Amino acid sequence: MDSLVIQLQAAAMNSETLIADLLRMAKTVSVKLDLADVREWIDHEMNGYPDFNNLPEYRRLVGTLKALNPYRGWIPAVIQDSRLEEIVSTCRANEPISSIEDTIRRTEKGIGYVSYSPNQQQQLILSDMFGFNTQFQVHIPISAAIRLLDAVRNRILDWSLSLEKAGVLGIGMSFTQNEKEKVRNMANNTYNINGNIGVFGDVSKSHVHTNQSANYNSSDLNDLAEAIRQIKISIEQLPDQIQTPTLSALNTIEAEIKSQSPNSSLIRQSLASIRTSCEGAVGNLIASGILGLIGRFLS
């Protein structure tokens, strides 16, 4: 009887296997090996993510902002501020993987786009920005959604290959106690789909910390400094009540970055303060963009 891990590999390499079915197979392996963190990621992919703050990078889909012209249909809506344009044009897809697969199947040979409509408050902001009242949508190429599916498939394949390399294959639908011990000893039994940690392999190019007391490395600090610079450019577009506390936290982070011995705990506390403020600004485009920028530094 074939090994469950080998069956998972074969399914991952078969382009005809639906990702939803592949996730169910992966969940079986993760449950039998008692891998809670891997199972949590799989459950989020199967059932949808509860919020936007902890979405994997591959679930950020970039499209083109369009405005409805009554005579010409959907036309490009160009925003001169490149950073604001990126915020508006980025969709954070948190729906179940089966819904994304169904959308792709309903398009002709993967050609076309997925439309995403900003909420009512965002529609009003965009109408005010462009000076006329109309409907706005973000058109995301189907190819971007297909890449999302490929990212999930590749992560499962990489994980199964890592298990095989460690000698964890299973017999039929079961794993031996020795195999379970091997898994527990791998990478201190740490699994994080958002980072290069544990037997899930290299699933992200971003620098992500899972330890709340971990220090930021020089690359993290350089990236964070650039994020702070971008946030400050648009801070005046935040609601008045959160501008002051956000700016204060940004200044604290900047000071720590420039110091000879940056205090990672203070940086993380300041980022958490910014996140709390922006989460309270429901519907604000800039606040949503800030949450996207700082999320990786709080993971």
Side-chain angles (χ1 to χ4, degrees):
M1 193 172 183
D2 286 343
S3 151
L4 186 56
V5 170
I6 297 301
Q7 290 181 52
L8 181 61
Q9 287 179 17
M13 291 187 289
N14 184 355
S15 61
E16 298 299 317
T17 304
L18 294 177
I19 303 299
D21 292 337
L22 187 60
L23 284 165
R24 279 188 281 271
M25 291 183 66
K27 181 173 182 177
T28 301
V29 175
S30 69
V31 170
K32 289 178 179 292
L33 289 174
D34 195 25
L35 304 179
D37 290 348
V38 177
R39 188 169 68 251
E40 181 182 19
W41 170 75
I42 292 171
D43 284 341
H44 284 330
E45 289 295 333
M46 292 175 63
N47 304 318
Y49 286 79
D51 55 56
F52 297 122
N53 296 324
N54 297 308
L55 283 180
E57 184 68 19
Y58 59 80
R59 275 181 168 264
R60 292 179 69 253
L61 307 180
V62 179
T64 303
L65 181 65
K66 303 273 188 171
L68 182 60
N69 183 300
Y71 304 104
R72 299 172 55 192
W74 293 105
I75 61 173
V78 180
I79 299 176
Q80 298 301 323
D81 186 323
S82 60
R83 181 58 198 149
L84 181 57
E85 181 180 27
E86 180 183 351
I87 293 170
V88 173
S89 303
T90 299
C91 171
R92 291 177 288 172
N94 69 329
E95 60 264 44
I97 205 79
S98 58
S99 297
I100 299 173
E101 283 191 305
D102 183 62
T103 298
I104 294 173
R105 284 200 301 270
R106 286 188 281 106
T107 64
E108 183 178 354
K109 297 180 180 179
I111 300 172
Y113 63 86
V114 180
S115 62
Y116 160 72
S117 297
N119 62 37
Q120 184 176 7
Q121 185 174 354
Q122 291 171 337
Q123 293 277 3
L124 293 174
I125 292 172
L126 289 169
S127 293
D128 183 64
M129 183 185 304
F130 284 96
F132 60 92
N133 188 21
T134 188
Q135 185 179 353
F136 293 88
Q137 283 186 351
V138 177
H139 289 183
I140 300 168
I142 284 294
S143 58
I146 293 174
R147 285 195 296 273
L148 187 160
L149 299 185
D150 285 341
V152 174
R153 185 187 298 276
N154 291 339
R155 280 151 180 74
I156 293 174
L157 177 60
D158 289 344
W159 177 53
S160 65
L161 289 170
S162 296
L163 288 174
E164 181 186 15
K165 185 177 180 180
V168 180
L169 291 172
I171 301 174
M173 295 293 288
S174 302
F175 293 93
T176 66
Q177 189 60 39
N178 182 49
E179 287 175 318
K180 293 178 181 179
E181 289 293 335
K182 287 180 180 179
V183 170
R184 279 194 287 270
N185 291 331
M186 292 174 69
N188 297 320
N189 197 29
T190 302
Y191 305 89
N192 186 340
I193 193 59
N194 286 321
N196 185 15
I197 302 175
V199 298
F200 241 105
D202 185 6
V203 298
S204 174
K205 297 300 182 182
S206 63
H207 306 281
V208 179
H209 296 284
T210 56
N211 186 338
Q212 291 297 318
S213 62
N215 292 324
Y216 294 101
N217 60 39
S218 58
S219 179
D220 292 330
L221 293 176
N222 288 335
D223 291 347
L224 180 56
E226 174 59 20
I228 298 305
R229 186 191 68 80
Q230 293 179 13
I231 293 171
K232 280 195 167 184
I233 292 175
S234 305
I235 196 169
E236 291 184 358
Q237 297 180 57
L238 287 173
D240 293 341
Q241 66 271 22
I242 70 172
Q243 283 187 29
T244 299
T246 299
L247 183 59
S248 176
L250 292 173
N251 289 336
T252 298
I253 295 170
E254 274 191 328
E256 289 301 321
I257 291 174
K258 293 176 182 178
S259 68
Q260 291 186 345
S261 300
N263 185 327
S264 294
S265 296
L266 183 55
I267 291 175
R268 189 176 296 276
Q269 290 172 12
S270 299
L271 286 169
S273 173
I274 294 172
R275 180 175 62 185
T276 300
S277 295
C278 289
E279 285 176 343
V282 179
N284 183 274
L285 295 173
I286 300 301
S288 298
I290 291 174
L291 288 174
L293 275 174
I294 68 173
R296 54 169 289 200
F297 302 105
L298 282 166
S299 300

